[in-house]
Amino acid sequence: MENDRFEKRLHYAYILSMITIGYNLVEGGVSTFFGASDETLALFGFGLDSFVEVLSGVGIAHMIYRMKRNPVTERDGFEVTALKITGTALYILAAGLVVGAVLAVINKSEPETTLAGIIVAVLSILTMYFLYREKIKVGEELESQPIISDAKCTKTCFYLSFILLASSLLYELWQIPYVDALGSLGIAWYAWKEGKEAFENAKSKSLSCSSDCC
């Protein structure tokens, strides 16, 4: 009976990871499309970050799949490679957003509208809150540090959504100059932080790490 409950909770964790991947794919596509068409750097960068999170999510889903078959104490080669690719992509994203923000200020570029950013941010806040809450719950029930750590990664996406919402609202309501560029720098900072953690976790194959995003 207890084993059946464990299997059900682990399967639920796997479903949550697949929802995360699917949502980030849709969010990334919508955000980059409207970010490019509306010339809002913060939304475009947010979309690129969503695509990178898909890479990380695939690694997590793979790990949970292995957990369903046997106890897991270390990352395998696939998960380590996924972390390295994720870290590299996040570093590139952070650098690109910084350069983009500088160019936007130099060229005095401003978005046509940030309405799409407001809508995407609100939907993301609601979705990421749900995923974070459920991942924490199932992770604690299973006493699984990897799943709890994945929940903390989702919490970071939750914070990113607030950055996008703030910059988009401020510009849409009051057309505050360069607030979109400032929002993109906030996203760049989180991208750099996530990239650093990804490489640190790739070096340590143990799944008992205590960083914010294992």
Side-chain angles (χ1 to χ4, degrees):
M1 187 72 175
E2 190 66 29
N3 186 60
D4 288 343
R5 177 175 173 77
F6 178 85
E7 291 296 330
K8 287 180 180 179
R9 301 314 291 169
L10 198 55
H11 181 65
Y12 183 52
Y14 183 73
I15 291 174
L16 290 174
S17 70
M18 297 307 293
I19 291 174
T20 302
I21 292 171
Y23 178 80
N24 276 319
L25 279 172
V26 175
E27 181 180 77
V30 172
S31 299
T32 52
F33 174 80
F34 283 102
S37 61
D38 295 339
E39 298 182 9
T40 163
L41 185 59
L43 180 57
F44 187 76
F46 185 80
L48 292 179
D49 182 79
S50 297
F51 282 134
V52 176
E53 293 301 331
V54 171
L55 299 175
S56 176
V58 169
I60 293 296
H62 175 75
M63 180 185 66
I64 295 176
Y65 178 75
R66 288 200 300 129
M67 291 171 66
K68 292 174 67 175
R69 302 177 67 182
N70 297 292
V72 174
T73 58
E74 290 188 343
R75 296 183 178 87
D76 65 5
F78 179 87
E79 291 152 20
V80 171
T81 299
L83 281 169
K84 290 179 179 179
I85 295 174
T86 298
T88 301
L90 286 167
Y91 276 151
I92 294 173
L93 173 60
L97 287 175
V98 170
V99 172
V102 172
L103 291 175
V105 172
I106 292 174
N107 297 324
K108 298 182 179 180
S109 302
E110 296 293 348
E112 293 182 7
T113 176
T114 54
L115 181 59
I118 295 172
I119 296 172
V120 169
V122 170
L123 290 175
S124 183
I125 287 170
L126 295 175
T127 303
M128 292 304 149
Y129 176 74
F130 164 77
L131 289 172
Y132 168 72
R133 184 186 63 188
E134 293 302 302
K135 287 178 181 180
I136 282 290
K137 182 179 178 181
V138 74
E140 290 177 345
E141 288 178 349
L142 294 172
E143 297 182 352
S144 171
Q145 182 59 43
I147 295 175
I148 292 174
S149 297
D150 181 41
K152 292 179 180 179
C153 290
T154 301
K155 190 176 182 180
T156 298
C157 298
F158 182 67
Y159 292 148
L160 281 174
S161 302
F162 275 104
I163 292 176
L164 176 63
L165 179 61
S167 63
S168 298
L169 269 175
L170 287 172
Y171 185 80
E172 190 68 23
L173 294 177
W174 296 290
Q175 284 74 52
I176 298 176
Y178 309 125
V179 70
D180 181 65
L182 185 62
S184 69
L185 289 176
I187 293 173
W189 184 84
Y190 269 104
W192 177 83
K193 183 173 179 289
E194 287 181 289
K196 180 181 178 183
E197 289 170 347
F199 275 111
E200 288 175 350
N201 294 326
K203 291 179 181 178
S204 175
K205 289 188 176 182
S206 172
L207 291 173
S208 61
C209 57
S210 59
S211 66
D212 288 341
C213 187
C214 290

